[in-house]
């Protein structure tokens, strides 16, 4: 059995799931491999226990995750208020608004709430004193999917090949293929266990990373063309506009991993990818290499995430956000660098 830390909280989560007969599992808007893998793997385990489970996610899954078992059964609309006694399980998401527009009505009509996440979001249980609530939130753990593996162990559930595929995808994507700074020995241990249980590492990586459309490559070429280096070489910024999407014949999902290119530039500490999601609406992805906390910056704009990977959604246009972020990153990176130098 794996110990991801805070086993008491995990036991409480397991107890709640055991007694729940009807569940709605949900995750954050613009879902990724971790949120979808966690949701679909946990559903398979709960269904094997004879429970009635609905997976709800506001947004469509990215096409490269179409191989995940049960992905076609995710619903994008659900009747609210929920049937009485339904337990709502939030995965990879600990803020009501990160569920999307349905968040408030789902949360307020749930008979019980379970939160499993590795982001520091809201303290849902404290805020919802009128709904029975248990939460397992551990920002030290690399993927929500890893918490789910430990949870299944606590509940005594089998990890079938399909479940292993879901959770392996969660861990693979949230550790950036075991390359990000969150990659711990436990990540390899759990991944090895999932491969033993039937996840196919070659097939999964191939499906996620090695099947690129021509439209995506065209979009990447356009984005690289507008990359600028800022903050005396410590930052780099790129953008995707609706016009670029149209010209490339691509979708925003195609740009999901583009933010790694500006960060990969030698000498760059922080990168930002500004995406126009609708006219006047912007989503910003940020990454850092070592010492700059992009989650702090994202939080100051109402977003969140992790030290090295964070984002926020806002209003405005691309050029305004390009200059605003260039200015802020220049200032904050210089300040932090000065601090680092003072502290030796
Ligand atoms: P990405 O840049 O890949 O969309 O997200 C990087 C990280 O930041 C992920 O952990 C994601 O959950 C988090 N993140 C991205 N956008 C937002 C946002 O608008 N709000 C919050 N709270 N977190 C975000
Ligand atoms: Mn995650």
């Amino acid at each position: 059995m794996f110990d991801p830390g805070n086993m008491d909280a995990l036991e409480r989560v397991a107890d709640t799931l055991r007694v729940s007969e009807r569940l709605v599992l949900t995750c954050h808007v613009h879902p990724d491999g971790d949120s979808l893998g966690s949701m679909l793997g946990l559903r398979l385990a709960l269904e094997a226990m004879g429970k009635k489970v609905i997976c709800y996610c506001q947004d469509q899954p990215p096409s490269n995750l179409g191989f995940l078992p049960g992905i076609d059964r995710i619903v994008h609309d659900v009747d609210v208020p929920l049937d009485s006694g339904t337990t709502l399980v939030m995965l990879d998401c600990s803020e009501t608004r990160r569920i999307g527009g349905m968040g408030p009505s789902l949360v307020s009509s749930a008979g019980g709430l379970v939160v499993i996440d590795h982001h520091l979001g809201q303290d849902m249980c404290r805020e919802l004193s009128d709904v029975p609530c248990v939460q397992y939130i551990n920002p030290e753990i690399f993927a929500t999917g890893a918490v789910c593996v430990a949870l299944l162990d606590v509940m005594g559930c089998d990890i079938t090949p399909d479940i292993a595929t879901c959770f392996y995808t969660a861990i693979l994507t949230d550790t950036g293929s075991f390359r990000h700074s969150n990659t711990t020995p436990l990540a390899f241990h759990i991944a090895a266990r999932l491969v033993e249980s039937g996840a196919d590492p070659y097939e999964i990586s191939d499906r996620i990373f090695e099947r690129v459309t021509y439209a995506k490559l065209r979009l990447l070429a356009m984005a690289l063309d507008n990359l600028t280096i800022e903050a005396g070489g410590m930052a780099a910024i790129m953008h995707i506009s609706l016009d670029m999407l149209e010209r490339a014949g691509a979708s925003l999902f195609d740009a999901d991993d583009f933010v790694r290119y500006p960060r990969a530039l030698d000498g760059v500490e922080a990168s930002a990818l500004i995406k126009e999601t609708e006219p006047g609406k912007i989503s910003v992805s940020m990454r850092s290499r070592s010492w700059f906390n992009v989650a702090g910056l994202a939080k100051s704009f109402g977003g969140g995430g992790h030290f090295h990977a964070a984002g926020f959604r806002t209003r405005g246009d691309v050029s305004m956000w390009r200059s605003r972020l260039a200015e802020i990153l220049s200032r904050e990176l210089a300040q932090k660098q000065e601090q680092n130098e003072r502290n030796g």
Side-chain angles (χ1 to χ4, degrees):
M1 184 182 293
F2 297 112
D3 180 356
N6 201 359
M7 286 303 270
D8 288 350
L10 205 60
E11 299 270 3
R12 284 195 293 276
V13 167
D15 289 342
T16 303
L17 295 183
R18 275 192 201 102
V19 298
S20 302
E21 288 311 319
R22 263 197 316 278
L23 303 103
V24 171
L25 312 188
T26 189
C27 66
H28 58 77
V29 290
H30 198 69
D32 57 10
D34 187 30
S35 47
L36 292 167
S38 298
M39 190 164 79
L40 295 171
L42 186 60
R43 170 172 63 191
L44 290 172
L46 293 169
E47 282 181 344
M49 295 168 79
K51 300 177 185 300
K52 198 164 172 295
V53 187
I54 292 173
C55 285
Y56 165 80
C57 180
Q58 175 182 290
D59 297 333
Q60 293 290 336
S63 58
N64 63 344
L65 295 175
F67 69 94
L68 283 174
I71 199 151
D72 296 341
R73 289 165 57 212
I74 293 177
V75 298
H76 306 287
D77 198 7
V78 67
D79 288 336
V80 281
L82 294 171
D83 289 343
S84 75
T86 303
T87 300
L88 181 70
V89 183
M90 291 169 59
L91 292 154
D92 204 33
C93 170
S94 40
E95 291 175 56
T96 306
R97 66 196 174 95
R98 288 275 290 153
I99 299 173
M102 300 271 285
S105 38
L106 280 172
V107 168
S108 64
S109 68
L113 186 68
V114 173
V115 183
I116 305 173
D117 193 17
H118 66 144
H119 305 92
L120 278 182
Q122 268 167 255
D123 187 339
M124 298 280 299
C125 291
R126 184 191 293 239
E127 285 169 28
L128 295 167
S129 45
D130 47 340
V131 181
C133 179
V134 289
Q135 61 190 6
Y136 179 96
I137 295 175
N138 181 0
E140 301 292 311
I141 199 96
F142 40 90
T144 300
V147 181
C148 293
V149 174
L151 178 64
L152 261 53
D153 282 346
V154 170
M155 296 200 298
C157 300
D158 273 350
I159 301 213
T160 62
D162 276 353
I163 294 177
T165 297
C166 292
F167 294 149
Y168 184 88
T169 297
I171 293 167
L172 182 73
T173 53
D174 255 28
T175 58
S177 301
F178 306 100
R179 288 174 302 141
H180 290 163
S181 60
N182 60 1
T183 307
T184 58
L186 189 64
F188 289 106
H189 277 296
I190 301 187
R193 154 100 181 273
L194 294 170
V195 173
E196 280 163 5
S197 301
D200 182 336
Y202 175 73
E203 175 70 16
I204 294 173
S205 289
D206 183 59
R207 296 297 294 249
I208 299 175
F209 303 116
E210 304 297 339
R211 298 189 190 195
V212 180
T213 58
Y214 182 58
K216 177 171 173 152
L217 284 190
R218 277 172 54 106
L219 187 67
L220 178 61
M222 290 176 197
L224 290 173
D225 206 37
N226 69 44
L227 186 155
T228 56
I229 296 180
E230 313 285 349
M234 286 189 288
I237 300 181
M238 235 165 64
H239 77 258
I240 306 279
S241 64
L242 291 172
D243 172 61
M244 286 163 65
L245 291 176
E246 196 179 324
R247 280 187 289 130
S251 82
L252 265 183
F253 286 128
D254 289 314
D256 265 359
D257 59 340
F258 285 6
V259 66
R260 72 190 164 99
Y261 292 98
R263 194 189 70 160
L265 272 169
D266 204 15
V268 162
E269 169 59 24
S271 67
L273 173 68
I274 300 164
K275 292 176 276 191
E276 188 183 17
T277 53
E278 289 171 47
K281 284 193 179 173
I282 296 289
S283 155
V284 177
S285 280
M286 294 188 293
R287 296 292 184 270
S288 64
R289 189 187 289 274
S290 64
W291 44 264
F292 187 72
N293 181 9
V294 283
L297 190 53
K299 215 163 176 190
S300 70
F301 293 113
H306 309 277
F307 195 97
H308 292 130
F312 63 93
R313 274 138 230 273
T314 185
R315 289 182 182 278
D317 64 64
V318 167
S319 62
M320 184 273 274
W321 276 103
R322 280 197 78 113
S323 42
R324 194 161 172 199
L325 280 172
E327 198 182 305
I328 293 169
L329 282 168
S330 293
R331 192 178 61 234
E332 298 217 353
L333 283 161
Q335 258 172 23
K336 184 71 189 154
Q337 193 190 34
E338 216 180 284
Q339 230 176 57
N340 291 348
E341 278 164 9
R342 263 205 314 276
N343 299 336

